[in-house]
Every structure is written in C-alpha cells, then in structure tokens.
Amino acid sequence: MKFRIFTEPQQGATYDDQLAVAQAAERLGFDAYFRSDHYLKMGDHFSGLPGPTDAWTTLAGLARETSRIRLGTLVSSVTYRPPGILAIQVAQVDQMSGGRVELGLGTGWYEEEHAAYGIPFPPKRFGMLEEQLEIVTGLFSTPVGENYSFSGEHYSLVNSPALPKPVQDRVPVIVGGGGPKRTPAMAARFATEFNAPFVPFDKIAATFAGVRRACEAIARDPDDLTYSAAFVAAVASDEAGYARRAAAIGRETGELRENGLAGTPSEIIDRLGALQDDGVETVYLQILDLSDLDHLELLATEVTPHFA
C-alpha cells in the first residue's frame, strides 16, 4: 500500500508552508505530495490567510525543490484552464521534476470560488471533463513532428504541434468520484488511477466494483487501473493528543473517527487493513494542519511501516 500526503492550501498556507510539508513527506518516505486546486477557503474554522496559491505554480516550484516524491493535483478543475494550456503546464512541470508529475482532473464543484475570482461556472461540466481528458491525453500521445486536432462541443484544437512533451511516456491521470455511471466510464477510458475521495468506508468496495465493470465493458483489464482512496487524517499516540489534533482542524473526535483515518496508530492500522481488503492500493492522507510536521513523523514511524 502506498501513502501520499494530500493538502488543502486554500484553507491558509503559503508556498513555504507547502514546501516544508513536501520536503518532510519526501524525507519520511511518503510516495507523493498532492494538493487541492482551489482558490477560496471552505468553512469558518480556517482563515484562508494569506490567500490562495495556484496549484500548478506551486507544483512547479516543488518540482525544483524535491527530488523523489511524486507531485500532483487532487483534483484540478476543468473550469480553470483550457485543456491545451493545462497540457503545457503539466508537461512543463513534468520536465522540471524529471518525470514525477500526476494529473488529477475533475469537473469542479465550488461555485463560490468561481464567483469570487470571475471564473465561469457552467451548470453542466461532465462533457467538458470528457473532452479535456481526451485532449490532454491526445496531445501527450501525439508523436513529435505530427499535429493534433480536435473538434468537440466545448473545445476545438486545429493543427496543434502538441508540444511540449512530458518526460514520462504516460503521465498518470487520476479520475475520481462517487458517481455510478459517467465517472467510472471516464476512468475506464482515460485514467491510470481511480480515486474514491471521502467515500464512506462501507461503500468503497462497491465503488471500485463499478469501475471494474466499466473497464470490462470496453474490454480493458480492470487490474490495469490503480485503485485509491482519500481520507482526512488525524492521528496521535494518546487520546488527549488526538483531541488536540481534531480541534486544530475544527473536527469533532467521534465524527472524525467515523469518517476519517483518525484516532491512535493501532486504530488507523486496523482501518487501513480493512481498506486494503476492499482493494485500496494507494491512500491519500488529507493533512489539514500544515504546521504540524510531527503529525507526518508519527504517521511515518507508527502507521505506514505496517504496510510496507
């Protein structure tokens, strides 16, 4: 089982805050540093200060200040960037990192942040996602010296040189969600990984089963995909420490235990074992307090070694 650190910098984090977490994650042996792609804080617990940081600008910086961990978004929204520009950004950051980038892409959902920064928010976005997935993967897979064109309902590309190219032969693409039909179908067509984000524990196996059926429907081997899940993490060696970590992120201890990877290391190990039995291969640990690097240390020493 792989473990990845997943952050929400829009809640209030500078680039330097994220750099400290990414470098700690690398030092402690985590597989990747991922971040959300949002421009407005959520809820009242966090201040959002000093303001948002752009996901791909941040990852470009981290690409030059880390050396091993993989870097990506969970997930970028199709509303933020035209697919051609997104492909250029992803390819460039992949080059800057020496081939360590992964792209999580989704429809977007947070209407308030679009209003706050003047970003159009169409009511129907699944078609945009499908076309962006086809375009980005198409641009990456077009041989050097050939052009790529696309004509769809939402986007049109004419004789694109499809440059630059990423370092990786195939940039991993992550598609996720809990939808029963369209999301599994898109994952089966375009993704290298399917992510179940904050899906209830008792729904994980059924969610993955739907994706496997979607793969079989297009004659793709379901085992060709990686199956992952994301959960908020709050772990401490004793109950008092756990209560402090839960309070720091504005969560109630009982609710957090029900829905997240929360409690003592032994509790988390048991929960992760059950998730592994349900087919989870990669876990995204959502870390909401980016100042608490001791939290990462505890996870790396008391939890993740049990799944090496």
Side-chain angles (χ1 to χ4, degrees):
M1 184 177 274
K2 293 180 179 179
F3 293 93
R4 297 178 156 190
I5 298 303
F6 168 40
T7 64
E8 301 276 356
Q10 77 280 354
Q11 301 297 72
T14 64
Y15 170 78
D16 286 339
D17 294 331
Q18 296 171 73
L19 174 62
V21 173
Q23 290 181 332
E26 181 165 83
R27 174 177 57 83
L28 293 167
F30 290 98
D31 179 64
Y33 173 88
F34 270 62
R35 58 156 291 165
S36 62
D37 194 357
H38 285 293
Y39 295 111
L40 193 68
K41 78 179 183 76
M42 301 162 194
D44 297 326
H45 181 76
F46 294 96
S47 70
L49 295 174
T53 51
D54 179 76
W56 287 99
T57 304
T58 297
L59 294 177
L62 296 179
R64 308 302 288 182
E65 299 194 80
T66 58
S67 60
R68 178 192 59 79
I69 55 170
R70 301 191 66 78
L71 303 166
T73 52
L74 201 67
V75 292
S76 288
S77 170
V78 295
T79 58
Y80 296 156
R81 306 168 186 90
I85 299 300
L86 177 63
I88 291 169
Q89 290 176 313
V90 173
Q92 184 177 5
V93 178
D94 197 52
Q95 292 175 358
M96 293 170 71
S97 68
R100 293 185 283 126
V101 157
E102 303 192 11
L103 170 63
L105 193 60
T107 59
W109 61 271
Y110 193 17
E111 188 170 4
E112 289 86 348
E113 72 185 337
H114 292 74
Y117 286 97
I119 304 166
F121 189 71
K124 296 182 179 180
R125 301 177 302 283
F126 265 100
M128 295 171 63
L129 175 58
E130 186 171 18
E131 289 188 16
Q132 285 214 12
L133 287 166
E134 185 164 346
I135 291 166
V136 171
T137 56
L139 288 167
F140 289 162
S141 62
T142 298
V144 174
E146 296 185 15
N147 289 344
Y148 175 84
S149 295
F150 177 88
S151 180
E153 179 182 352
H154 304 280
Y155 306 103
S156 177
L157 284 73
V158 180
N159 294 328
S160 171
L163 296 172
K165 297 298 185 197
V167 171
Q168 298 175 89
D169 291 335
R170 185 180 186 185
V171 172
V173 172
I174 304 163
V175 172
K181 293 183 179 180
R182 296 188 72 177
T183 300
M186 278 191 280
R189 283 186 62 195
F190 299 110
T192 55
E193 176 180 327
F194 175 80
N195 179 260
F198 313 108
V199 171
F201 293 115
D202 60 355
K203 305 293 185 184
I204 293 284
T207 301
F208 288 169
V211 177
R212 289 181 170 275
R213 287 192 296 272
C215 288
E216 291 165 352
I218 62 170
R220 180 179 182 182
D221 182 355
D223 291 334
D224 186 43
L225 274 173
T226 296
Y227 296 86
S228 66
F231 301 99
V232 62
V235 185
S237 56
D238 57 33
E239 193 63 25
Y242 167 58
R244 285 193 297 271
R245 284 203 163 110
I249 61 173
R251 300 287 287 269
E252 191 274 326
T253 56
E255 174 273 326
L256 195 53
R257 272 192 166 100
E258 288 182 14
N259 299 298
L261 294 171
T264 62
S266 62
E267 290 178 88
I268 309 310
I269 290 165
D270 289 345
R271 178 71 81 180
L272 288 168
L275 288 169
Q276 193 170 47
D277 291 342
D278 285 337
V280 176
E281 299 168 303
T282 299
V283 176
Y284 291 82
L285 300 165
Q286 187 192 47
I287 302 297
L288 296 176
D289 183 357
L290 300 193
S291 68
D292 187 1
L293 299 183
D294 289 342
H295 194 194
L296 303 187
E297 187 93 32
L298 179 65
L299 285 161
T301 57
E302 300 294 330
V303 176
T304 61
H306 291 266
F307 299 89

